[in-house]
Amino acid sequence: MQDRYSGCMDVTFAPLTDQDDEELVRFLTTNPFPFHVNSAPSEEQVRRKMAAGGFRSDETRTYWVYGDNQRLGLLMLEDLEDENPVFDLRLAEKCRGEGFGVPVLEALTEMVFTEFPHFRRFEGQTREDNIAMRKTFLRCGFVKEAHYRQGWPSDDGTYYTSVAYTILRSDWESGTTTPVVWEDVGI
C-alpha cells in the first residue's frame, strides 16, 4: 500500500515489508551515502540491523520513497513513541541533485503530521557540510535549532558538526515559521 501526498510532485511512501529484504540490502550496499555516519554499509551490517529490528519496530518505520515515476530512495522514521520523531532520508545516488529533496521533505512532513496526530515537532539532522540538505530544510519551513560541535563521526575518524532542524506542528498548520531566539541570556 502506498500513501500519496500532494505537492509539486506526486510523492508516495510504501512501507518496507519482509519481501523487501533483498532489495533493501541491494539499495543500501550499492548507493554511497557520503553524509551519513556509515557511508557504505556492508551486506553483513544491513542484515544484522534487519535481524535486530532496526528497520521495523515500535520505534522505527521504514518506507520506500517514490516520485517522478521512479523509486527515489529510502526513509526511516525513528523515535515514533516520542512526541518528537526524527528521520533518516537516503536518496538513491542517481536522484541526488535533481530537485527531489524539497517535494520529498514536504510530503514527508505532511505524512508525519497527518498520520501521527500526537507529534508536536518533527526533526532532522545533517552534517554541517551537507549544504543541499540544509537548504532543503529551510525551504520546507524547518528552523535550525542546534549545532552539535564534533557530534557527527565519519568513516575516516573525522568529526563534523551535526546541525538539527525542526518544524513545529503549529508552524506547519499555520504556514508560519517561529524563529529560535539564540541570544536570550547575556553574560
Side-chain angles (χ1 to χ4, degrees):
M1 175 187 135
Q2 293 186 358
D3 295 313
R4 295 195 167 316
Y5 293 91
S6 60
C8 63
M9 178 197 317
D10 188 24
V11 174
T12 58
F13 302 100
L16 192 70
T17 69
D18 291 336
Q19 289 76 35
D20 294 326
D21 287 354
E22 294 309 311
E23 185 59 20
L24 177 63
V25 170
R26 189 203 62 73
F27 178 80
L28 290 173
T29 59
T30 61
N31 286 281
F33 301 101
F35 295 110
H36 283 75
V37 172
N38 184 352
S39 63
S42 68
E43 179 177 342
E44 180 184 339
Q45 289 171 321
V46 175
R47 290 191 188 284
R48 255 185 291 151
K49 186 172 180 173
M50 287 178 357
F55 294 101
R56 291 184 300 278
S57 70
D58 291 342
E59 282 283 319
T60 303
R61 291 190 192 169
T62 303
Y63 302 84
W64 294 113
V65 181
Y66 293 92
D68 198 31
N69 299 312
Q70 63 182 316
R71 181 186 294 161
L72 302 175
L74 187 74
L75 159 73
M76 291 179 59
L77 289 177
E78 302 172 310
D79 298 336
L80 294 177
E81 293 188 346
D82 193 2
E83 293 181 338
N84 182 41
V86 297
F87 72 93
D88 177 0
L89 176 62
R90 295 173 186 248
L91 292 180
E93 185 175 29
K94 69 178 183 165
C95 296
R96 295 179 209 147
E98 300 297 320
F100 295 126
V102 169
V104 167
L105 186 52
E106 287 175 342
L108 173 57
T109 303
E110 180 180 349
M111 180 187 75
V112 164
F113 285 137
T114 300
E115 294 189 13
F116 300 91
H118 66 285
F119 291 161
R120 292 179 303 108
R121 305 160 32 92
F122 184 41
E123 179 180 331
Q125 293 188 28
T126 192
R127 275 182 14 186
E128 64 188 321
D129 56 338
N130 190 350
I131 303 303
M133 188 64 204
R134 293 180 65 186
K135 288 182 177 182
T136 297
F137 277 123
L138 296 173
R139 288 181 182 123
C140 293
F142 282 66
V143 174
K144 180 174 63 171
E145 288 191 344
H147 282 254
Y148 300 105
R149 298 176 297 161
Q150 295 183 5
W152 192 295
S154 68
D155 293 334
D156 68 3
T158 303
Y159 282 84
Y160 293 89
T161 295
S162 177
V163 187
Y165 292 83
T166 301
I167 189 167
L168 302 175
R169 174 185 290 280
S170 56
D171 283 357
W172 176 76
E173 290 173 339
S174 66
T176 60
T177 301
T178 304
V180 174
V181 179
W182 288 101
E183 303 301 332
D184 60 333
V185 177
I187 295 179

